Amino acid sequence: MSQSKVYNSAEEALSGIVKDGQILAIGGFGLCGIPEALIEALRDSGVKELTCISNNAGVDDFGLGLLLQTRQIKKMISSYVGENKEFERQYLAGELEVELTPQGTLAEKLRSGGAGIPAFYTATGVGTLVAEGKETRDFDGRTYVLEHSLRADVALIKAQKADKAGNLIFNKTARNFNPDCAMAGKITIVEVEEIVETGTFDPDEVHLPGIFVQRIVLNASPEKRIEKTTTKAVEGA
């Protein structure tokens, strides 16, 4: 009988998997859909010299910002740095290597990596710093730049529900980069809010099949911190 994919804690799910110097793909957009418990367990594991592929690095005291505080990340491959002052400080001080990548290109690099496509051409970034040193080619009178796909040693992702086989359902926009990261990871660990028996889901409900998932951990009460709150005065209040 095959070993269960379900682990008792985030620490247990990472055990024997994460190591110094690895490339990690981590799902989320801002603080939406990030694997909170897995990131905290990664911090507590003490692994270092990590290259993290993620749209951004959270905020100073939450999400991947926790790993920047402890200097466990040596390189970020991301598309946005604006909400994390420590990220910005480390980069400008030469303490952190950053590979800025257009957001759509980053998503396609991960998706293509998971699909076994080594590289692709895109018009995004042509004529800018993004294209410096990269091969370009013209198709139908338009110039495109060659971008190499991304694979990760480990992917850490967040989903709303999983069955015990690892089939996943995401919650609306919290899906974001999570499926692409999962597909790009050689080993994928998912943090979920609910685990059900295999066979519970209608096949048409499944957003990501369990073939891409090796380990599952339950976090039934995530913090789900709001990155920015915008309010306005209520008339008559």
Side-chain angles (χ1 to χ4, degrees):
M1 185 175 180
S2 60
Q3 180 182 351
S4 171
K5 292 185 177 182
V6 180
Y7 286 72
N8 293 323
S9 66
E11 293 76 14
E12 186 179 310
L14 294 182
S15 178
I17 299 296
V18 294
K19 301 174 184 177
D20 291 351
Q22 285 182 323
I23 299 173
L24 273 64
I26 302 177
F29 182 93
L31 299 182
C32 176
I34 65 170
E36 301 173 17
L38 287 170
I39 290 172
E40 290 183 7
L42 184 63
R43 176 199 59 190
D44 295 343
S45 74
V47 295
K48 57 187 183 298
E49 296 293 303
L50 300 174
T51 295
C52 290
I53 307 165
S54 185
N55 179 67
N56 58 289
V59 294
D60 289 289
D61 61 344
F62 199 62
L64 286 180
L66 297 174
L67 300 182
L68 290 174
Q69 286 182 343
T70 52
R71 304 299 180 89
Q72 289 169 263
I73 299 175
K74 72 169 184 178
K75 179 179 180 179
M76 284 293 307
I77 301 174
S78 56
S79 68
Y80 183 60
V81 302
E83 301 302 326
N84 191 313
K85 292 180 181 178
E86 179 61 15
F87 187 167
E88 179 184 15
R89 190 202 66 75
Q90 288 187 24
Y91 171 60
L92 294 177
E95 299 168 5
L96 176 70
E97 186 179 351
V98 178
E99 186 177 317
L100 282 174
T101 306
Q103 195 168 90
T105 302
L106 181 63
E108 182 60 18
K109 279 173 167 279
L110 289 163
R111 191 205 67 81
S112 296
I117 300 168
F120 58 92
Y121 284 98
T122 176
T124 303
V126 171
T128 73
L129 291 173
V130 170
E132 281 193 2
K134 297 177 182 176
E135 177 186 333
T136 59
R137 185 173 174 183
D138 289 353
F139 297 92
D140 298 322
R142 187 176 184 185
T143 303
Y144 294 78
V145 61
L146 182 69
E147 294 283 1
H148 290 269
S149 302
L150 289 169
R151 292 299 310 275
D153 298 306
V154 181
L156 305 181
I157 69 166
K158 167 69 184 292
Q160 184 181 33
K161 299 179 183 180
D163 66 17
K164 291 183 178 180
N167 297 303
L168 302 181
I169 293 175
F170 299 95
N171 185 18
K172 300 181 175 64
T173 57
R175 188 187 312 191
N176 52 63
F177 282 80
N178 280 294
D180 293 335
C181 287
M183 292 175 65
K186 296 175 184 176
I187 296 174
T188 294
I189 306 171
V190 59
E191 173 183 328
V192 298
E193 296 173 43
E194 183 180 353
I195 300 174
V196 300
E197 293 295 329
T198 302
T200 301
F201 299 149
D202 184 297
D204 283 340
E205 293 182 292
V206 174
H207 296 142
L208 186 76
I211 190 68
F212 293 108
V213 175
Q214 282 71 48
R215 296 188 174 191
I216 307 164
V217 64
L218 179 67
N219 181 11
S221 302
E223 183 176 343
K224 294 186 180 179
R225 190 183 301 188
I226 296 174
E227 189 171 352
K228 281 189 176 182
T229 303
T230 302
T231 62
K232 67 177 182 179
V234 179
E235 291 184 11

